[in-house]
Amino acid sequence: MSEEIQSAVSMENLSEQSRIRMEKLQKLIDEGRNPYEIVRYDRTHRSGEILNGYEALENQTVSIAGRMLSRRVMGKASFAHLQDRDGEIQIYVRRDDVGEEAYKDFKDYDIGDVLGVKGFVFKTKSGEISVHAQEITLLTKSLHPLPEKFHGLTNTDTRYRQRYLDLIVTPETRDTFIKRSRIISTIRRYLDDQGFIEVETPMLVSNAGGAAARPFETHFNALDLDMKLRISLELYLKRLIVGGLERVYEIGRVFRNEGVDTRHNPEFTLMELYQAYTDYHGMMDLTENLYRHVAREVLGTTTIVYNGIEMDLGKPFRRITMTEAVKEYAGVDFDQITTLEEAQAAAREKGVEFEPHHKRGDILNLFFEAFAEEHMVQPTFVMDHPIEISPLTKKKPGHPDRVERFEFFMNGWEMANAYSELNDPIDQRARFKAQEELLAKGDEEANRTDEDFLYALEIGMPPTGGIGFGIDRMVMLLTDSQAIRDVLLFPTMKPID
């Protein structure tokens, strides 16, 4: 074996199968047929186009390309299956059609090799649509055996770390990520049709605001400046509303220095949109219509099933205030609890733990999380949050302790968060001051004052509705995926070593 190949791989760690594949590669190189030197293959069709368009393509010559996943050699003829992005298609290879040398080479190829096949479309006696090969080209030599096809990757850690293998051997994984792409493109088309403009805002910021989360921190050497990765899209998008763009949205990665579980990854995809001259009721209507539209377009139905639970997006979504939800599921009426002392007493009675800095509104939210959230299974808007947990939200007229905010729930999960946006710069400065006080007391998730954002509000932001959607959770529900890692191509993983 050549020194180049031996130096490129650790031979002592190779399995016997991998060693044999290396030797096959060396033989090809010695014969001047290095497959890695092929720079292009002119493919005319993918497998799905042939399988779905058989009537028009019968007996027509096509060129396909893909990874060989199986092969049955039967003397002078063989069958194999090639996989491309659309799925699998059978090829029929006969010695008398491709030539004796080419047929011998084909029999020596390995499962996992990438092949180009030119031939005509036909149906076998069993009725399977196939390509009758006339030419076969080895495009890439696979140097390691694939996981056993019919059992796939049973080790979830390997599935996440080596997603390329998971995509090859697990059709359901490939289908999930194709649906993810369709979900995002459908959202974009829907919002574009509603007059929204897609924009991009900074990921690297000096003040990571817009959400209650701990940011990742870094340092910009050129300016000797401490920076943060954004935790939200909100404050920059609102600046664009001030600038007169009126309807804007962004779909992008945000970063939160938090724990990892089935619904949280420190790097995730968020969509936020802002619309001038509407309020949180307008955001409810948009959310309901958007979810219903995406389900119809991607799944062909407004009824989805997640983990055996059926959820109906076709019916009007339930709307309930946070106070009503706590009263219904915890039996505690916060309309009758007017002081912090009364709230603390109710929490002690119900076993709800709270921190010394928590105020009445914080405790109301803790009650909701403890008793009501899990019951929000069918599509539900939970409205009118306490002001203490909503520093960027407009107050509800006639209710100084509440704000015009809702969270959208399905399956007991928060799927979206929306406001009638606070556009009063005086009130916003006071809210930032309260957040700074929390920060000084050790709350690492509190917002910091953003003077440029306050100046933008002083220029004047029209009445505005805004919302943030968790794209990953949406994909989880629409693809019946049990963990957020199942819908992230490359989730955050602890290093093996």
Side-chain angles (χ1 to χ4, degrees), residues 21 65-70 80-85 87-89 110-116 140-144 146 164-165 167-169:
R21 291 181 183 221
R67 189 179 301 276
M68 183 167 64
L69 293 187
S70 66
H81 280 88
L82 296 192
Q83 179 195 75
D84 61 14
R85 192 188 72 185
E88 295 182 28
I89 190 167
D110 292 298
I111 301 302
D113 287 352
V114 178
L115 309 179
T140 301
K141 184 67 189 166
S142 176
L143 300 181
H144 299 289
L146 297 177
Y164 43 91
L165 289 178
L167 289 166
I168 291 170
V169 301

Side-chain angles (χ1 to χ4, degrees), residues 137-152:
T137 305
L138 177 62
L139 302 175
T140 301
K141 184 67 189 166
S142 176
L143 300 181
H144 299 289
L146 297 177
E148 203 277 310
K149 178 173 181 272
F150 294 102
H151 294 94

Side-chain angles (χ1 to χ4, degrees), residues 71-74 76-80 91-93 103 106-107:
R71 180 182 53 205
R72 290 179 292 130
V73 177
M74 301 180 298
K76 298 178 182 179
S78 299
F79 289 96
I91 62 171
Y92 174 62
V93 186
Y103 187 63
F106 170 74
K107 291 193 295 180

